[in-house]
Amino acid sequence: MLVVTRNDKSLRRPVRALLDSEERPDGFFINVHDSPGPFMIGPKTIRIEGRSHVRETVGGLSYLISPAAFFQTNARAAAVLQRCVTEGVSGAERVLDLYCGSGLFSLPLAAAGARVTGIDENRQAIRDAEMNVRLNRIPDGRVRFLSARVEDGLASAARQAWDAVILDPPRQGCPKPILSAVFQGIAPSRAVYVSCNPDMLAAELAAILSAGYSAERIEAIDMFPHTDHIETVVRLIRNPDG
């Protein structure tokens, strides 16, 4: 996928040259991202040619991924990340997966028998997640996905009981209302926080611990080798008197 500020006619010749060459990709898209902000891609994606999805296998499950939907780019490290997260909520019967994307964590948990609800504001990611449920033949009713801002989705989810909550926010971290709704409102016995920004995690972890939780285990995963970026997984348990 080529990300551009505008879909200009000058793109046609080099794009066609690529698609007519031996190095042509299986599928090609153009994404129009015409304003600054924290996101890598913009709201408009145009399919030019070829396949509409990439297929990855992680943890024995298949995932069809759209170019405009987030998925970990390092599939081998994603398998390690998936294992760390799912082990952190192992045995939980009802799991809330916030910023769920295409279902990297939701699907293996549902396949193992948990009842999972995933929330993400990226509509394409949710469509991919629902397609991946069918692709992996996960029983009906085991997992459901909600396309909504996490803040909005929590308004209804917080009225239910959850054994565990997974949070995998973007680089800017979780807004304070979400942390409050999860760790003071829902107050699950277990939670797993996945962070791609250690500085933000350090700032937010203090508020989580003060809400009555302890960090049971912290693991760092080298998701982006040869860079200073790491993925950090924190397993949290609610204190008995929390």
Side-chain angles (χ1 to χ4, degrees):
M1 182 168 68
L2 178 65
V3 182
V4 297
T5 55
R6 68 180 186 275
N7 187 18
D8 194 87
K9 291 182 179 179
S10 62
L11 295 170
R12 293 178 182 176
R13 181 175 293 179
V15 167
R16 179 42 55 191
L18 171 64
L19 297 179
D20 289 341
S21 72
E22 294 182 355
E23 288 78 26
R24 65 183 179 276
D26 292 336
F28 189 82
F29 294 74
I30 286 179
N31 177 267
V32 181
H33 189 15
D34 58 0
S35 59
F39 300 107
M40 183 175 68
I41 63 174
K44 184 178 181 180
T45 302
I46 306 166
R47 180 180 175 185
I48 302 299
E49 187 175 293
R51 294 167 53 185
S52 61
H53 292 75
V54 169
R55 182 165 181 162
E56 291 282 8
T57 300
V58 180
L61 295 172
S62 295
Y63 294 85
L64 292 174
I65 308 150
S66 300
F70 174 78
F71 197 84
Q72 298 290 352
T73 55
N74 186 333
R76 289 187 179 182
V80 178
L81 176 64
Q82 183 189 69
R83 185 173 66 250
C84 289
V85 172
T86 55
E87 286 178 353
V89 298
S90 178
E93 294 182 2
R94 291 178 54 79
V95 181
L96 181 62
D97 186 5
L98 305 179
Y99 307 97
C100 66
S102 302
L104 179 63
F105 309 132
S106 294
L107 267 62
L109 289 169
R115 299 284 178 177
V116 186
T117 295
I119 303 175
D120 200 294
E121 67 176 293
N122 186 318
R123 293 182 179 179
Q124 186 57 58
I126 293 297
R127 286 193 287 267
D128 289 352
E130 292 170 340
M131 182 167 49
N132 292 330
V133 170
R134 297 188 294 271
L135 177 66
N136 291 281
R137 299 182 179 179
I138 294 174
D140 291 342
R142 193 71 62 75
V143 57
R144 70 183 186 98
F145 292 102
L146 176 63
S147 176
R149 295 173 65 246
V150 170
E151 294 90 330
D152 299 332
L154 269 174
S156 60
R159 294 193 290 268
Q160 305 174 50
W162 301 97
D163 302 311
V165 176
I166 299 168
L167 300 101
D168 186 9
R171 184 164 295 276
Q172 61 266 37
C174 281
K176 290 182 180 179
I178 292 179
L179 294 178
S180 177
V182 171
F183 294 102
Q184 296 179 11
I186 295 173
S189 59
R190 281 177 286 167
V192 176
Y193 192 125
V194 182
S195 174
C196 59
N197 186 342
D199 292 336
M200 187 59 67
L201 174 64
E204 295 178 352
L205 195 55
I208 296 171
L209 300 183
S210 66
Y213 284 79
S214 296
E216 181 182 48
R217 185 179 178 90
I218 300 177
E219 298 173 279
I221 299 170
D222 191 8
M223 186 66 67
F224 311 102
H226 309 295
T227 76
D228 58 355
H229 297 291
I230 61 170
E231 204 86 8
T232 306
V233 180
V234 184
R235 300 185 191 181
L236 298 149
I237 57 173
R238 191 177 72 232
N239 299 328
D241 55 349

